[in-house]
Amino acid sequence: MSQKTFFFVAGLIFLVIGLLHVARIIFQWEAMIGGWEVPLWLSWVALPVAFYLGFHGVKYSKRI
């Protein structure tokens, strides 16, 4: 796998994760990890991080 493909696929995965965080916030979905209920505010923190990584991954794949 080339670096260009890697950055593009990784960027798309992070963008999808960001969209899932948006859906979780809108629909108030619960998330459980090993019996621990993940608080909704954690999606607010993860949302900009996921979109930032996704955007820059796709952008960087086009520069290579």
Side-chain angles (χ1 to χ4, degrees):
M1 177 184 295
S2 69
Q3 279 187 326
K4 182 177 185 169
T5 305
F6 172 79
F7 283 115
F8 185 74
V9 171
L12 285 181
I13 290 171
F14 277 111
L15 288 175
V16 169
I17 290 170
L19 290 174
L20 289 172
H21 279 292
V22 168
R24 181 172 185 241
I25 291 167
I26 290 172
F27 298 115
Q28 301 289 309
W29 291 339
E30 293 181 11
M32 299 285 287
I33 299 177
W36 174 64
E37 185 175 348
V38 180
L40 195 59
W41 64 264
L42 201 54
S43 281
W44 284 103
V45 173
L47 178 67
V49 173
F51 278 135
Y52 176 83
L53 291 173
F55 173 74
H56 284 286
V58 171
K59 184 176 95 171
Y60 189 68
S61 74
K62 296 189 185 287
R63 281 189 8 189
I64 293 178

